[in-house]
Amino acid sequence: MKIKDCTLIGAFKCSEDESIVDVAKKLRGINLRHIFVVDKSDFPVGIISVIDINNRVVALGKDPKELKAKDIMSKPIEVYDLQDDVQAVYDKMIEKMRVMCAVTKDKKMIGIITIHQLLKRLEK
Amino acid sequence: MDQEKFVKQYIDRARKNEKVELEFRGLDKNKTREARAQLEGFLAYAYDEDAKNYFEKDPLGRYVSTFLRASGGVMDGLGSYFFWTAGGAGFGLKGIGLLEKTLADKIDYKRDKKYIDVDLSDKVKLGAETVAERAAAYLPLFAGEIADLLRGRSKHDNLVLEYTAEKGVNSFLDYRRRLKENPEQANVIPVEYFRNPAYAEETEEEKGPKIVKIVDVKGEEQEPATIKINDYKAKDMRKTGS
């Protein structure tokens, strides 16, 4: 079974040069707690959580208007392809303690796979 | 108009489209929500592709056109007043006013063409409406001025919005068709499905802290369970920054 057989969440992403204010606005508008950062070719290169904004910007007294997504993103991240095996991805995500990972097709981010969806697939 | 307002305004209109309605027919509650989220996603994407640029880019052209419309409206109004009270004395003023408005329409049309594909029928529709507005300028009771106030700029905005909505609907129908042809294609729930309603409806002024109380199944308030905060230590295995 492959990742393409799972239900993905649409690509919730921002560019590397997007300001933290814009990133925070995106996170505010969507009920997801992580946003992926993509490079110019739309390949995921990092991830920012709402907690990252708290810990790496607000708590340090930094100006969110001055900072860009690439300045505070967590990296490297695991990126999987639509053709990757569900069991293998599940094992890697458990090993790395990841709840969600970016999924690409032709090296472009097309969605997000959650551990919950992988579990649902493996149960069937 | 921003993306959120656009999606909100056009989603129900899109649902009334016969082909779109067919896509929703017979779906259960969850599938309906999913399809609606897909439609919202395609409308939002179409907005970002076209209408966003029309509304946000090239502000100078928009400012100039707004100024010409306002100034033209004043001239036209004064011209109408003198035209009907002083026996045609305001003819010159009206001429200047109408010229300014026509110039504003030219600028707006140029912007339309820059951001969307204007076809012949749109061109004819815009042209006919502009001619009717100019002709109405010679009617009593400021009919032309009112018509221009209501439809002057908005006929161009609407053209772009309608085009964008149609593009969004077509993309949605195309996606649904591809999904039927190839069920193996990844099923992606658009991120709009997860939109936070607490922030989707409000204006900036209305926003404020929200207090959510935890309520048990009987409807009684209860204290949340607490866990020692020291149990949670950051285990950041990734590096920060670029």
Side-chain angles (χ1 to χ4, degrees), chain A residues 8 10 29 31 56 75 98, chain B residues 187 189 194 196 236 238-239:
Chain A
L8 308 180
N31 279 322
R56 295 168 186 173
K75 64 169 194 176
R98 303 291 182 235
Chain B
N187 181 21
I189 304 170
F194 302 92
N196 184 350
D236 194 355
R238 296 159 169 156
K239 289 175 187 171

Side-chain angles (χ1 to χ4, degrees), chain A residues 4-10 12 28-31 47 56 70-71 73-76 82 96 98, chain B residues 184-192 194-197 199 204 207 236-242:
Chain A
K4 72 178 174 63
D5 301 316
C6 302
T7 300
L8 308 180
I9 296 172
F12 186 39
R28 182 187 67 175
I30 298 288
N31 279 322
I47 189 170
R56 295 168 186 173
K70 66 183 175 190
D71 299 326
M73 69 186 186
S74 299
K75 64 169 194 176
L82 270 186
K96 298 263 185 182
R98 303 291 182 235
Chain B
E184 291 297 298
Q185 184 178 322
N187 181 21
V188 181
I189 304 170
V191 77
E192 284 70 24
F194 302 92
R195 191 175 290 284
N196 184 350
Y199 292 101
E204 284 296 322
K207 280 172 194 158
D236 194 355
M237 293 187 288
R238 296 159 169 156
K239 289 175 187 171
T240 311
S242 51

Side-chain angles (χ1 to χ4, degrees), chain B residues 158-176:
Chain B
N158 285 346
L159 180 74
V160 173
L161 291 172
E162 295 284 345
Y163 172 89
T164 306
E166 192 183 330
K167 196 170 167 183
V169 165
N170 287 340
S171 301
F172 167 77
L173 292 171
D174 189 47
Y175 171 74
R176 300 287 294 189

